[in-house]
Amino acid sequence: MRGRPRRNWRIRPAPRSRRAARDDVFDAILDDAPTGLLLLDRDRRIVRVNDPLLQIAGRTVEPSPGTRFDHLFAPEEWTRIARELTLAGKTGPRRFEARLAATADRGEITADITAQALRAGNGKPGNLLLWITETSRQHAFTAALAHDLNNLLTAITGAGELILAREADP
């Protein structure tokens, strides 16, 4: 059959899907981020953790995908963090502080956390992304000092109001 073009029957690899390419870009962003990032699914199970978060948390082993994230934080923080994550899914990004669980190498660490719900294709809340940065010791000291000073000023103001409220003694 002279007139027919010759067919190339080699097997060609299937083109990469857009979703796979998007996942690769997302993984690169997570890996290169200068801050700790924790990606949780709708059930609040770990999808992905980046290396800066492992360094902040003092961990050498990455938590397995599908495990609960609770063990990264101090147990007394779990209820409050769960409440903040629920609000982040409903009202938008939430910023709060929480203590990370102590490890053998480090004690408990206070961290600034911003939780943001990522929208699924249908517009409903999907995964949760937590941006986690270590609160510097200086910042923590300053916050504690400001809190104590505020308590002292409240006591002084209250005492002053009591003195002014007393009737003048003849």
Side-chain angles (χ1 to χ4, degrees):
M1 306 208 171
R2 286 189 165 224
R4 279 188 153 166
R6 187 172 177 197
R7 293 183 187 212
N8 185 355
W9 291 100
R10 284 185 298 155
I11 297 174
R12 294 184 184 140
R16 288 180 48 98
S17 70
R18 284 186 174 173
R19 183 177 184 92
R22 188 174 51 222
D23 289 348
D24 287 347
V25 169
F26 190 69
D27 284 343
I29 290 170
L30 281 175
D31 290 337
D32 293 340
T35 184
L37 296 174
L38 173 63
L39 182 63
L40 303 175
D41 65 14
R42 290 180 190 163
D43 297 324
R44 297 192 183 135
R45 298 207 178 266
I46 295 173
V47 174
R48 185 87 159 69
V49 175
N50 71 350
D51 287 338
L53 177 58
L54 295 176
Q55 291 172 356
I56 292 169
R59 310 267 174 172
T60 55
V61 178
E62 182 174 339
S64 302
T67 59
R68 300 242 351 132
F69 75 97
D70 299 350
H71 66 279
L72 294 173
F73 296 93
E76 53 277 359
E77 298 282 357
W78 293 350
T79 303
R80 189 172 61 84
I81 291 171
R83 185 175 56 246
E84 293 289 347
L85 296 182
T86 300
L87 289 171
K90 293 178 181 178
T91 64
R94 301 284 297 178
R95 187 162 188 237
F96 57 98
E97 282 190 353
R99 288 186 327 279
L100 298 175
T103 63
D105 297 335
R106 301 176 77 167
E108 285 186 354
I109 300 164
T110 302
D112 287 320
I113 302 171
T114 301
Q116 181 175 0
L118 303 177
R119 301 287 170 202
N122 59 8
K124 294 182 179 178
N127 293 344
L128 282 169
L129 181 62
L130 278 64
W131 303 74
I132 302 172
T133 55
E134 184 177 355
T135 303
S136 68
R137 295 188 195 282
Q138 183 178 5
H139 178 266
F141 173 74
T142 305
L145 182 63
H147 180 75
D148 291 344
L149 182 60
N150 185 39
N151 288 344
L152 184 59
L153 289 175
T154 301
I156 293 170
T157 303
E161 288 176 359
L162 285 174
I163 291 171
L164 292 175
R166 290 170 76 189
E167 293 181 356
D169 192 353

